[in-house]
Amino acid sequence: MKKLALHWQIILGMVLGVVVALLLNNFSWGAQFIGNWIKPFGTIFINALKLIAVPLILASLIKGVSDLKDISSLSKMGLRTISTYIVTTVIAVSIGLAVVNVVKPGSSISEDTRNELVEAYGGEAEMRKQEAAKQKEAGPLQALVDIVPDNIIGASANNKNMLQVIFFAIFFGIGLILIPEKTSKPVKDFFDGFNEVILKMIDLIMLAAPYGVFALLAALVVEAPSADLFAALGMYAISVVIGLALMICVYLLLVWIFTKKSPKYFLNGIAPAQLLAFSTSSSAATLPVTMERVEEHLGVKKEVTSFVLPIGATINMDGTSLYQAVAAVFIAQAFGMDLSIGAQLGIIVTATLASIGSAAVPGAGMVMLVIVLAQAGIPEAGLALIFAVDRPLDMCRTVVNVTGDATVSMMVAKSQGKLGEPHVKDWDDNYPH
Ligand code: ASP
């Protein structure tokens, strides 16, 4: 019997997770049962993915950089990658601003609802503000200082320090390029083999993906806040989702224009990573799968994926920046503020920077939103307004974050003559595609 393609299996897992949670929610013991007996499997699944992230970046980036042969091709690719990432982020923020100004979701919030929300979520909003305050206290060059670790073991001990591990790997790779081939060969061969092992481990983890997402979604459903609050924030949530959907269309267009690959080809290749991004709300946790899909199913050469994708997962967050723009203007509207064009242009800059600074983990975009609000003079108490629907929107924006990384890696690959045909590994056949 022909097995169901992986993305369909994952979708099935997600749907069943929601259905089972809704059914069990009717029993007094349902939520606790899910918390005790189903949710842990979701946590194990995410942990397994995160476990792979640091070794994967180290192995693949060192190999990718050292394969480039000379420093000038590295800097060429680096420049192109970063500039394309910035351009897509600015497009995303602009789409967010356009949608929120047309739909005006904040105008439909009554004062009662506003007070109710501030009351219900004021505490949680306060915690986000404190986290953001720590980041704001730092000097203007702190972000740069943070990229260079003083200890590689320390840096690899925390998934939030991904940029530091990337720095080390690129630095190490440059060292490898500069030493004689005879000495560098065994080191390269080692990382090559190491990389293959990690990719195999990802395959094995993906066998469990349908079950993992089942557990994750079931847990989310029983932990979700009441439907009334969702309804009050409906227009806001719809605005974010419309913006994100438009951004996906932009990606499909970019892929088509720059690489001549059809939307179907692109979406088929990247779908499992998108579904995983949706279920885990973390581009860092999704990174191993994104790399595997882009390389083997979209035909981007390893030299490009190993460089472009880890960097993208940490600094390119188009979905997050779009959401920050919509959320900031929504909060301003809900508080009856009129934002000038100047203030909105300011949001383009701060949301772009804030999304670069957001960690690739669940909820990070909301922490950095505090900075966008402060810069635009919008009351930070407004965070409480959007708290109730943040998780589902986080899931959606993470899909866009991951899709954006995949898009840019295809564009960069094309420009460097490194876009080939898909090549699914033989041993990959143990799971269906
Ligand atoms: N969860 C997002 C990501 O990992 C970041 C965010 O917007 O909160 O890509």
Side-chain angles (χ1 to χ4, degrees):
M1 191 183 77
K2 196 171 173 291
K3 265 181 147 182
L4 215 52
L6 181 64
H7 55 272
W8 288 118
Q9 289 185 28
I10 298 179
I11 292 177
L12 198 65
M14 290 161 79
V15 173
L16 285 179
V18 173
V19 171
V20 167
L22 289 176
L23 285 177
L24 289 183
N25 236 356
N26 293 322
F27 301 98
S28 57
W29 46 267
Q32 205 189 2
F33 177 82
I34 291 183
N36 286 343
W37 296 100
I38 296 185
K39 188 178 174 187
F41 292 102
T43 313
I44 292 174
F45 176 63
I46 295 203
N47 284 353
L49 281 170
K50 288 190 189 157
L51 174 71
I52 301 288
V54 168
L56 174 70
I57 291 179
L58 270 180
S60 70
L61 205 49
I62 288 174
K63 161 130 195 5
V65 171
S66 61
D67 277 350
L68 284 175
K69 308 263 184 316
D70 63 76
I71 307 284
S72 87
S73 27
L74 174 66
S75 54
K76 236 195 277 157
M77 186 155 80
L79 211 67
R80 190 170 288 259
T81 304
I82 308 271
S83 51
T84 318
Y85 276 151
I86 293 177
V87 170
T88 56
T89 307
V90 171
I91 296 178
V93 185
S94 312
I95 290 182
L97 285 178
V99 171
V100 72
N101 279 298
V102 171
V103 181
K104 293 198 189 346
S107 336
S108 58
I109 293 270
S110 70
E111 197 163 338
D112 286 348
T113 321
R114 193 177 81 197
N115 294 340
E116 200 185 311
L117 286 166
V118 170
E119 187 136 319
Y121 292 100
E124 273 110 333
E126 191 53 41
M127 273 159 54
R128 297 296 180 287
K129 272 198 277 179
Q130 282 168 7
E131 274 179 58
K134 277 192 231 135
Q135 314 219 17
K136 265 194 285 182
E137 270 165 24
L141 290 186
Q142 190 57 39
L144 209 58
V145 174
D146 286 344
I147 295 180
V148 186
D150 60 359
N151 184 316
I152 185 57
I153 309 283
S156 340
N158 185 346
N159 279 346
K160 285 199 178 141
N161 292 339
M162 211 86 99
L163 223 41
Q164 300 191 339
V165 178
I166 291 175
F167 175 84
F168 176 82
I170 295 178
F171 201 11
F172 192 99
I174 292 176
L176 263 185
I177 297 179
L178 296 176
I179 61 173
E181 171 116 30
K182 200 168 101 287
T183 340
S184 66
K185 181 145 191 322
V187 185
K188 275 195 203 164
D189 287 347
F190 167 78
F191 280 109
D192 214 4
F194 192 90
N195 202 27
E196 291 288 309
V197 177
I198 300 283
L199 287 178
K200 180 69 181 168
M201 288 167 78
I202 298 168
D203 276 353
L204 296 176
I205 297 172
M206 285 306 281
L207 288 176
Y211 309 98
V213 296
F214 167 85
L216 287 171
L217 284 212
L220 274 178
V221 169
V222 292
E223 286 166 6
S226 79
D228 300 354
L229 284 178
F230 273 130
L233 295 172
M235 280 320 273
Y236 157 69
I238 289 174
S239 308
V240 176
V241 171
I242 292 177
L244 294 175
L246 288 175
M247 197 58 207
I248 297 273
C249 298
V250 169
Y251 294 140
L252 296 178
L253 208 63
L254 287 175
V255 168
W256 187 63
I257 293 173
F258 285 91
T259 71
K260 301 281 170 300
K261 299 285 184 199
S262 72
K264 184 163 176 274
Y265 170 87
F266 179 68
L267 290 175
N268 267 345
I270 198 66
Q274 290 176 316
L275 294 171
L276 222 57
F278 184 80
S279 316
T280 61
S281 275
S282 166
S283 10
T286 313
L287 178 64
V289 180
T290 318
M291 288 182 77
E292 199 218 25
R293 299 299 301 189
V294 172
E295 205 178 301
E296 293 178 13
H297 296 258
L298 294 177
V300 177
K301 295 269 179 319
K302 200 184 229 124
E303 301 94 279
V304 176
T305 51
S306 61
F307 181 81
V308 178
L309 289 174
I311 295 181
T314 32
I315 69 165
N316 182 50
M317 304 216 175
D318 300 341
T320 301
S321 62
L322 187 151
Y323 140 86
Q324 285 169 338
V326 176
V329 178
F330 165 76
I331 292 170
Q333 289 170 350
F335 279 92
M337 288 170 68
D338 233 349
L339 286 181
S340 65
I341 295 287
Q344 303 221 15
L345 288 180
I347 291 179
I348 297 193
V349 178
T350 47
T352 301
L353 294 177
S355 70
I356 292 176
S358 303
V361 295
M366 194 174 198
V367 174
M368 296 304 277
L369 175 62
V370 178
I371 293 172
V372 179
L373 294 180
Q375 215 75 41
I378 301 166
E380 289 164 28
L383 273 193
L385 296 187
I386 55 168
F387 209 92
V389 287
D390 200 61
R391 182 61 195 237
L393 294 182
D394 192 359
M395 296 159 78
C396 300
R397 64 190 189 238
T398 309
V399 172
V400 171
N401 291 346
V402 166
T403 313
D405 299 342
T407 304
V408 173
S409 66
M410 284 191 76
M411 290 164 67
V412 172
K414 181 74 186 175
S415 74
Q416 312 275 309
K418 297 207 186 299
L419 188 63
E421 289 308 310
H423 56 99
V424 179
K425 296 247 166 68
D426 297 345
W427 40 257
D428 233 17
D429 288 341
N430 56 8
Y431 73 71
H433 296 273

